[in-house]
Amino acid sequence: MFRAAITPIVRQRHRKLFVATCMTGTAGAACIATPSQHLHRSEAATCSPSVYNDGQVNTASQSLTAPFASLSLPNFFDDVEQCRSLILPTMEALLRAARLAKTAVIMATDYQVYFLQRKHPDSLVSEAYSWVFQCNNHSAGENSYTEEQGRKQKQLEDQIEQLERDLDRAQQNYVDPKTTSNDMQPKNESADADADAVYKSTSAVSEHTLAKRQQKEAMMETASQLGTVQEELASLVTESRDGSGNSLDGIHKRNAHRLLELCRKNGGVYIKVGQHLANLDLLVPEEYIQTLASLFDNAPVSSYEDVCHVVKQELGSLPEQLFSQFSENPLASASLAQVHTAICKETGKKLAIKVQHKGLRETSKGDLFAMTTVVSIAEKLFDDFNFGWICEELTPQLPKELDFSNEGKNAEAAAAHLSQTGLDCVVPHVYWNCTSERVLTMEFEEGFRATDVDSIEKAGICRREVAKLISSVFNAQIFGPGFVHCDPHEANVLLREHPSKKGKPQMVLVDHGLYKKLDDDFQEAYARLWTGIVMANVPEIKSACEQLGVNEMYPLLASMLTSRPFDEVVERSQTRSLDASPTGNGDGDKAVIRGYAQRYLKDIIAMLDVVPRQMLLIFKMNDCLRHVDTALGSPVNNLVVAGKYASKRVFESDKRKHKRSNGGVLGFLRSWLSYVHVLIRISSYELTTRLNITQ
């Protein structure tokens, strides 16, 4: 067991360790020594002379106590401390891994039993399952859940299952280019006669466009019904027993709380993954989104003693000695660190001190390994579980996030770029004299979360302008220098009223630990892809996807980036519009998008293995921004915002190519006209939209 406990650390450090254990009476000691061939002679001399003698193992000493007979007391305690520092983090990591495995088994069992009792409602399993939750509800004092409510819930659940099947068929017909509206609509002779008259007077392209539009209307009608029934079921469950029973919503909520408890107990990397899951609105049930969202501001808090320990280790002095004031209670706590406020001795300015959680740097690798292992096993056992890509994405990036000096450099680079864009975005100033790998000192900037709609309304700020500003900042990074903030979740994007522009928003961008520098080829291909999407230019979309390594699955990649079906691009190519046809109510839109995400989940996971690795962080950024945009009510067409910056990047790239190849005035003029064409389309759309809003 002892050897098994230290093996992971041994492998991580890429060196062999010999362990000698001695039991004398009731006391035991362990000495970890490094083979002399890996040490200088002076270093080997510090080891026990009975273990090393000029680089050779002393086999003359047969007594177990001999190695410690000539070991000096200070060296003995140093060796014990080294052993303890290696073993304890490993044992803690094993404990966290055991919690993870236990939670995974319980959650999987809960879902499997639920679907089994749904499939066989009269079985013993179903009766036992219902009895368990009736007992739970009774013990919790939840007597308000009547038999009538149970029957109503069962009816709604059956109705949802039927509508989900109907929506799946409707989506299949809509995305299948071979189907027509006749495959979906019931036969009606008069309707067929009218349709024949219409089709005879139109071209084949118009016929296909009309058929697809009818299919879309049928799909959206089903989605709208599904969204309405889902909302009704959610209300019933909330009113009756707060989602804690044996309904599917109740299971989602119960397991979401189990996952939340796991993340909070294990902390660190687990909270990071939980925060990422909270941004996957399209792939994860709503109960998980709502429950895990608390990880953005209710992460575990390190004690003040641990904070002082880290600060003194990193900066050489206690917080009280470095600052005129230092808050013992943190302002906020996150997965990797917590933030305290302080007052600068020299300037009297308010500061934000970001202090890494004690021990996180040492345990993060073991946690990632354990998490990756459990997730890999779950993917093999359950076909519908496909979230291993989250661990693959975090593994190479986490060490960078744990280096706060690297975060400070990222913040300065981002501030330099944003100051040139003219966008109203502030990046906190870094104080390097009080910054190290685990402590980051910045100027304190006031602000509230970008998803805090109530605060936005109180500040008198237009949500449309907020959404446009946020989208503009990140698109400026992607298509400008290509140095991109890849973790823009709701706690990292802050807002406030502009100090000199009344009623206008100003954005405060924090947490610059996770950035990605896009290479020029990727950036150009990505810009051409977005330009093609905005202009509904299918050949350009296909060509750009091929540059990114995606061939047949180019419609899927475009859909993943926009969260819309690719056929809408085809529809816009016919209508020459930057907006697809109306999609119905909000619940219907959400049902459609979630249906597509679930339908093509396996293809999406396969896509992640094809695209360049830097695209994974772009997807993560898009997930975060989509979550923020959804919370704001999606008031802006992000296609338009992205189109401005992407088309400019394409034009600048073409201009450089013409200059290098002496392409002449004609080639430059062609590129310029294409760029102007995009800008005119976008400007016309924005003008029309503004007029519609004022009316």
Side-chain angles (χ1 to χ4, degrees), residues 311-551:
V311 171
K312 187 170 184 179
Q313 272 194 337
E314 294 295 311
L315 303 180
S317 301
L318 292 172
E320 294 81 1
Q321 298 169 330
L322 295 169
F323 310 100
S324 59
Q325 292 182 24
F326 189 91
S327 63
E328 292 190 9
N329 296 321
L331 178 68
S333 182
S335 56
L336 306 183
Q338 60 191 48
V339 178
H340 293 255
T341 57
I343 301 297
C344 180
K345 282 186 175 181
E346 291 76 15
T347 64
K349 289 185 176 181
K350 189 175 182 180
L351 305 176
I353 316 297
K354 183 176 180 179
V355 183
Q356 191 174 117
H357 296 305
K358 182 183 176 182
L360 180 61
R361 181 175 56 185
E362 293 77 16
T363 61
S364 58
K365 291 183 179 179
D367 287 342
L368 278 175
F369 174 77
M371 191 179 301
T372 302
T373 301
V374 172
V375 170
S376 299
I377 294 173
E379 286 185 321
K380 292 178 181 179
L381 293 177
F382 306 105
D383 293 336
D384 295 331
F385 188 90
N386 297 284
F387 290 99
W389 61 274
I390 297 179
C391 296
E392 293 176 6
E393 174 191 315
L394 284 176
T395 300
Q397 300 300 328
L398 188 62
K400 299 177 183 178
E401 290 192 79
L402 291 174
D403 184 357
F404 290 173
S405 60
N406 179 65
E407 179 177 346
K409 296 174 184 176
N410 291 344
E412 289 190 336
H417 164 248
L418 290 171
S419 65
Q420 300 173 1
T421 63
L423 296 170
D424 290 321
C425 182
V426 174
V427 175
H429 174 72
V430 178
Y431 287 77
W432 286 106
N433 60 325
C434 292
T435 293
S436 66
E437 284 191 7
R438 294 194 292 167
V439 178
L440 176 63
T441 302
M442 305 160 287
E443 189 168 342
F444 185 85
E445 297 286 353
E446 297 283 353
F448 51 83
R449 293 188 177 191
T451 55
D452 189 349
V453 178
D454 290 338
S455 295
I456 292 175
E457 299 294 339
K458 290 179 182 178
I461 302 173
C462 176
R463 277 193 283 175
R464 181 179 180 81
E465 293 187 4
V466 168
K468 185 176 181 180
L469 174 60
I470 294 173
S471 183
S472 297
V473 166
F474 290 101
N475 278 292
Q477 288 187 332
I478 293 172
F479 300 114
F483 192 58
V484 185
H485 189 304
C486 294
D487 197 19
H489 62 68
E490 58 190 70
N492 293 338
V493 180
L494 307 180
L495 292 173
R496 63 191 181 195
E497 185 182 15
H498 197 287
S500 59
K501 301 177 183 178
K502 186 173 178 59
K504 298 293 183 180
Q506 186 178 61
M507 177 175 154
V508 180
L509 186 60
V510 299
D511 195 352
H512 300 268
L514 184 58
Y515 267 71
K516 182 66 179 179
K517 181 65 176 76
L518 308 179
D519 61 58
D520 291 340
D521 291 340
F522 174 87
Q523 193 179 15
E524 180 182 345
Y526 191 67
R528 293 187 185 280
L529 172 57
W530 266 106
T531 304
I533 291 173
V534 171
M535 301 301 291
N537 187 333
V538 177
E540 186 172 359
I541 294 173
K542 186 175 182 180
S543 175
C545 287
E546 288 175 352
Q547 293 181 52
L548 294 171
V550 178
N551 296 312

Side-chain angles (χ1 to χ4, degrees), residues 17 28 31 34 39 66 75 78 97 234 270 291 306 308 366 388 404 421 433 493 496 508 671:
L17 297 176
C31 175
T34 306
L39 293 175
N75 287 340
D78 287 344
Y270 291 85
T291 303
D306 287 346
C308 292
F404 290 173
T421 63
N433 60 325
V493 180
R496 63 191 181 195
V508 180
S671 298

Side-chain angles (χ1 to χ4, degrees), residues 184-245:
M184 300 173 59
Q185 304 293 340
K187 291 295 181 180
N188 184 290
E189 294 182 1
S190 61
D192 289 342
D194 293 340
D196 290 340
V198 174
Y199 292 154
K200 289 178 181 178
S201 62
T202 58
S203 63
V205 174
S206 299
E207 178 182 349
H208 177 76
T209 302
L210 179 60
K212 285 299 177 184
R213 188 165 299 170
Q214 292 174 346
Q215 291 172 350
K216 182 177 181 179
E217 290 173 356
M219 178 185 69
M220 291 309 305
E221 175 63 26
T222 304
S224 179
Q225 295 175 11
L226 175 59
T228 301
V229 177
Q230 287 175 333
E231 285 296 317
E232 186 177 353
L233 176 61
S235 299
L236 176 65
V237 172
T238 302
E239 292 173 1
S240 60
R241 43 184 174 170
D242 196 24
S244 58

Side-chain angles (χ1 to χ4, degrees), residues 20 61-62 134 139 142 291 313 358 435 449 461 463 499 551 573 618 636 681-682:
S61 299
Q62 300 297 327
Q134 287 174 1
S139 62
E142 295 169 344
T291 303
Q313 272 194 337
K358 182 183 176 182
T435 293
R449 293 188 177 191
I461 302 173
R463 277 193 283 175
N551 296 312
S573 69
I618 296 294
V636 169
R681 289 275 300 276
I682 290 176

